[in-house]
Amino acid sequence: MNLAALNEIAEKMVTPGKGILAADESTGTIQKRFDAIGVENNEQNRRDYRELLFRSTETMRDHISGVILFEETLYQNAADGTPLVDLITQAGSVPGIKVDKGAKPLPGFPGETITEGLDGLGDRLKKDYERGARFAKWRAVIDIADGIPTWGAVKANAHALARYAAICQANQIVPIVEPEILMDGAHDIDRCDEVTRWVLSTVFQELFEQRVALEGMVLKPNMVVCGKKCTKRASVDEVAHRTIAALKATVPSAVPGIAYLSGGQSDEEATAHLDAMNKIGGFPWKMTFSYGRALQAAPQKAWSGKSENVAAAQRAFAHRAKMNGLASVGQWEGALEKAA
Ligand code: 13P
């Protein structure tokens, strides 16, 4: 393992003013996104949609440090035969690949899941590296409800994340370590805070035990927010302060950067929260975005599967990428949304 080279990629992924585009929806997840805009979920439509994003040359160059791809996309070519991965590299962005095989029910733990995909991972990563991938992503899912999460599920997921990260680094791939605490429940922000600290401290203990070099990874956590069904809402300022405090208490400063997931927050909430944290500052890491929905909902709607809408979709993508790029350096203002 060449740690200096891994660190260089990790630093590039969290370049100030830029962030990561999570375009790694599995075939099942993109089905839900396409259903919402009335587009048939076939290979060509998936290709056309992602190609329009990667061909947004200025947006990619100015605001997108890396793109997480689903395996199909990493090996797919654009309409003119150019590998899609080359479009990303040509724009100066780093291509990455989602390598987990999804969250499956964890036997003995009703309502909890374990993320699968460790078997054969090293061999897959060798092929992915050849094709141009320089980082990977693995998402562990932790749900909050009555009696969950349990220690058994937190521990199993943290261990799998650490094993994945070690395998990535042995293959010269930067691991994005993503322990996502879902915001679907009715829990309040205190409960999210408590579970976030518990999960992150467990994950870093496991990373230590598996000898993962923290300088060569990127953390992709949730923010500390209330559940969607919680009636007591938290302000932007409270989310920002509590997220920073929870991370400071649990994430070593050797980690180069934090790239948050949006997790179902609205586009503007996700931007406002990131911006508020960077305005507060006082933490040792770069803090940026690794958004899926909060970057893509607008371009997907504008596109709606029609080639005549490609330019409008690219404008919508450009706007959200620019807003989040500003938020990554604490320079976003709500007025910029209205002006657009
Ligand atoms: P969201 O930003 O839509 O949560 O997606 C990010 C992601 O990659 C989740 O794994």
Side-chain angles (χ1 to χ4, degrees):
M1 169 177 92
N2 176 346
L3 183 55
L6 286 174
N7 177 253
E8 198 176 311
I9 297 284
E11 290 286 354
K12 190 168 178 198
M13 289 161 67
V14 294
T15 304
K18 298 186 182 187
I20 298 166
L21 166 64
D24 60 324
E25 300 85 359
S26 63
T27 307
T29 301
I30 200 76
Q31 175 86 48
K32 290 187 218 154
R33 309 285 180 258
F34 278 8
D35 283 351
I37 54 171
V39 172
E40 191 192 331
N41 183 17
N42 57 41
E43 192 178 337
Q44 187 182 327
N45 285 339
R46 291 193 293 273
R47 194 269 319 272
D48 289 349
Y49 167 62
R50 286 164 174 153
E51 182 172 349
L52 86 81
L53 296 177
F54 309 155
R55 282 200 192 275
S56 304
T57 318
E58 274 175 41
T59 304
M60 294 285 294
R61 187 194 61 209
D62 296 342
H63 303 298
I64 303 298
S65 57
V67 183
I68 317 175
L69 302 169
F70 187 56
E71 191 176 25
E72 173 187 90
T73 319
L74 179 65
Y75 293 91
Q76 211 168 28
N77 293 336
D80 69 1
T82 313
L84 289 175
V85 65
D86 290 358
L87 299 180
I88 296 168
T89 315
Q90 282 158 16
S93 183
V94 186
I97 174 156
K98 184 232 299 286
V99 294
D100 68 65
K101 298 286 182 191
K104 307 285 158 60
L106 179 62
F109 294 82
E112 296 187 285
T113 59
I114 181 71
T115 301
E116 295 188 347
L118 288 174
D119 287 355
L121 178 56
D123 292 335
R124 281 196 279 139
L125 286 171
K126 284 180 183 67
K127 262 182 63 207
D128 299 338
Y129 186 97
E130 286 287 303
R131 180 71 179 179
R134 290 295 176 269
F135 71 90
K137 176 190 117 171
W138 177 290
R139 173 173 173 261
V141 183
I142 305 290
D143 202 0
I144 299 179
D146 276 352
I148 64 170
T150 61
W151 171 233
V154 169
K155 171 95 177 156
N157 277 287
H159 182 73
L161 271 171
R163 289 268 295 116
Y164 141 81
I167 296 168
C168 284
Q169 291 190 335
N171 287 284
Q172 212 49 42
I173 294 266
V174 171
I176 290 187
V177 173
E178 179 180 4
E180 174 173 4
I181 294 152
L182 298 177
M183 56 180 286
D184 295 338
H187 56 274
D188 62 13
I189 194 166
D190 292 334
R191 180 80 175 124
C192 180
D193 195 336
E194 173 185 54
V195 175
T196 300
R197 288 169 187 250
W198 176 23
V199 168
L200 288 177
S201 54
T202 309
V203 166
F204 280 96
Q205 178 65 30
E206 292 284 339
L207 289 169
F208 174 74
E209 287 173 11
Q210 294 305 316
R211 303 182 175 172
V212 173
L214 302 186
E215 297 82 356
M217 64 163 274
V218 170
L219 179 69
K220 176 164 175 167
N222 52 282
M223 297 177 196
V224 174
V225 293
C226 356
K228 270 190 206 147
K229 290 176 226 142
C230 178
T231 47
K232 208 170 118 235
R233 306 311 301 169
S235 67
V236 169
D237 202 49
E238 184 175 10
V239 169
H241 275 103
R242 295 188 70 147
T243 303
I244 292 171
L247 268 67
K248 271 179 145 178
T250 52
V251 181
S253 53
V255 173
I258 313 284
Y260 293 98
L261 58 96
S262 62
Q265 300 180 38
S266 74
D267 296 359
E268 275 194 47
E269 267 172 354
T271 305
H273 288 151
L274 177 63
D275 178 68
M277 288 190 272
N278 281 305
K279 279 192 167 79
I280 295 164
F283 39 77
W285 327 274
K286 312 278 181 357
M287 276 196 186
T288 189
F289 57 91
S290 175
Y291 294 163
R293 282 162 285 181
L295 269 177
Q296 296 188 73
Q300 278 164 3
K301 200 162 160 231
W303 176 58
S304 293
K306 299 196 175 71
S307 54
E308 63 269 28
N309 292 340
V310 163
Q314 289 177 327
R315 279 196 301 276
F317 176 45
H319 176 66
R320 284 270 46 91
K322 184 172 177 201
M323 294 299 105
N324 287 308
L326 288 169
S328 77
V329 286
Q331 289 174 8
W332 174 81
E333 301 294 338
L336 294 170
E337 300 283 352
K338 285 168 200 89

